[in-house]
Amino acid sequence: MKTSNRLLKIQITGVVFVALVLIWTAVVYELNRSEKGYLREAEIKTSIQSQVFTEFSRSTIRRVNEVILDIRSQWTGDWKSFATLIQRRQGIIDDLTFQVTVIDSDGIMIFSNLAKPATRVDLSQRAHFRVHKEAGDADHLYISTPVLGKVSGKWSIQFTRPILKNGKFNGVLVVSVSPDLFSQFAEKLQLGKGGSATMVKTTGELMARYPITSFAQGPIPNDRLFLKNDSPATGNYRSLSSVDQIERIYGYYKLPQFGLIYVVGESVNDILAPYYTYRRLVLEVASGVSTFALIMFIVLLRSLTTLEKVRGDLELAKERAETSNIAKSQFLANMSHEIRTPMNGVIGMAQILMDTDLDEDQQQFVQDILSSSDSLLSIINDILDISKIEADRMEYDFHPFALDDLTNAVYSLIKVKADEKSIGFHIDVAPDTATIFVGDSLRIRQILLNLAGNAIKFTERGEVRIHIKRKPGGLRFEVSDTGIGIPVEAHERLFSNFSQVDSSTTRKFGGTGLGLAISKRLAEGMGGEIGVNSTEGKGSTFWFELPLASPPDQVTESESDSDYSESVPTHAEEVDVASHEASESDLKPASPTLDESVTVNELPCLLLVEDNKINQKISLTLVSKLGYQVDIAENGLEAIASTGKRRYDLILMDMQMPKMGGVEATRNIRSLGGPNALTPIIALTANAMESDYEACRAAGMNDFMTKPINREALIDCIARWSGHTASDTSS
Ligand code: ADP
């Protein structure tokens, strides 16, 4: 039981563990998948945005280029009309705020549309001047990194082309555009709070950025993927910004034509914000499910542990109950023995006394001793029976029996009592009833004697009648009387232990209140049922029904009772020991047979093995009267010694004795093969349990009589086993 519980616990733990692993694997997989999904989406989005940024820049650069080409053609050297032209142009292209500067071939600013420089402004060292001067007469658009304007004091990107005169370098036309133009567009891309859009030169210098940052911080570290020459024209990467320390997913797009790269990034935090919400939800649900599973698991384990404990307690209680039952049975066996031994003394001595010369009063006194002893014995037998039933030690012996034998035995016992009270007693057996049945005849007899005994006890006038009739698969027994009857409310409890209708009846009629309880248990033990119909003041009918098979080939009466087990009086037969009768047909020796050499003329020898002095005296008196020459052995060892010396016709053997008991002594006598190996041995014992009888038989004893010894029964028994009839031996 414990192992299966432990196995169940391991299985449950395994299932819960696997379930938790599965739940959390699914959670990790799902979160991973979801996170990757958001990041991939951001990559696509930033790629597209970087492309959009690029396209905007490309068209802006083109427009600026067109403006440069247009106004360059208008430059005549007359700065006044040129200023008017620029002003007009600015009015038309109002979204493209710009500043126009003209530098002469020596690098000196000769025109600015903002204000004519009061002092000489030398720009000859600026990259956008030098690049053209060094290129000679080549005409191309140059885009500078943002520079801080000497005149405007603002950061601007210089878009420049050379002014050529007769195909030769004659100065530079500069259109300055604020980097904000690009930053403002980037802002419109809606990159979220942590987003950024950057326009950089392929050399790493910052051209424009949203959010706006200082241009003074120098070029972007060139370990960035997009700055590598061999990196693809467009792509994504993830990195921590060196500008604002925000981790982003970036998409970039290269514009090699102008040496520019556009990078758009979205903050990983922004990208994953919905994922974080989702993750929190998933984790909460998974944690909830796991916690629930764990709580259920703990509850289940605790329940199992409790169950285990309860089971353990129950098993312990059962064990204790069984142990106490065994102890109780042992106690009963001892008590039975202890009470029967002195009872044998009382009854035996009273019987011996009865045979002496007594006056009438004295005879009555002895008679009273005998009848009181009978009552006491009957009570002891009842208590022993109910205890055996409760300890579940009652055994049933099912065998074929003749119904006639049963009714005759009951009749002869009850009739005497009915006659004493002058009431009628009859047994009717329905005419169609079979004669042989298979069942425990002794237990059936015990129930009938109980019910009929009660009927006689509680009836003052009229009659007691036993009616036996067939019922499907068995017999119905009814015991009716015309006695005091029983009130309806008492019917239920009649069959409980120690239950009597009321205490006054106890006083008037006596009794222990066990008879009906025993009858009920016996009837039920044999698969039947018992009940009562009664009217107060009119009489009662107690009935019981038993399933009793009737053998198809009806066994003859003598065959039915030839079984050895029937030949030995058992405790059940002693319900009324005083009136016990064993018929000749009940008892037939199996072995050994009488020695032919022993004749009736020789004085037969008997060995009495008994340690109790009083019981010795009683048995000695009795068997001496039967004409036996008696030897006495006080214990098993002495018995073995005596049986080795001479041959006996019969041995009466007590069971419980000091030094060596009767069972062991018998075993020795039988196995030693001496002159008494085949001598009949009759157990005379105060031990009245079935197991004792079994032990006697197994040791090789031939018969078994329980103490207190019934004189007539013992005489019969001795006669049977010695080959002399009772009258022969007693004469
Ligand atoms: P006991 O007779 O030893 O008291 P039983 O168990 O045999 O115990 O009977 C229990 C009680 O049932 C009796 O004391 C008596 O009150 C009642 N009883 C039994 N049989 C009868 C009967 N035939 N008529 C009236 N009362 C009865």
Side-chain angles (χ1 to χ4, degrees), residues 1-12 304 308 311:
M1 195 64 82
K2 266 185 185 168
T3 335
S4 75
N5 227 343
R6 196 170 306 136
L7 194 71
L8 192 62
K9 277 185 180 175
I10 292 171
Q11 282 171 343
I12 291 171
L304 277 176
E308 212 169 279
R311 257 188 208 157

Side-chain angles (χ1 to χ4, degrees), residues 7-25 286-302 304:
L7 194 71
L8 192 62
K9 277 185 180 175
I10 292 171
Q11 282 171 343
I12 291 171
T13 311
V15 168
V16 171
F17 178 74
V18 170
L20 287 179
V21 167
L22 283 180
I23 288 172
W24 285 99
T25 308
S287 308
V289 170
S290 306
T291 312
F292 179 72
L294 280 175
I295 290 172
M296 290 312 288
F297 173 65
I298 291 165
V299 168
L300 207 65
L301 279 194
R302 280 200 176 172
L304 277 176

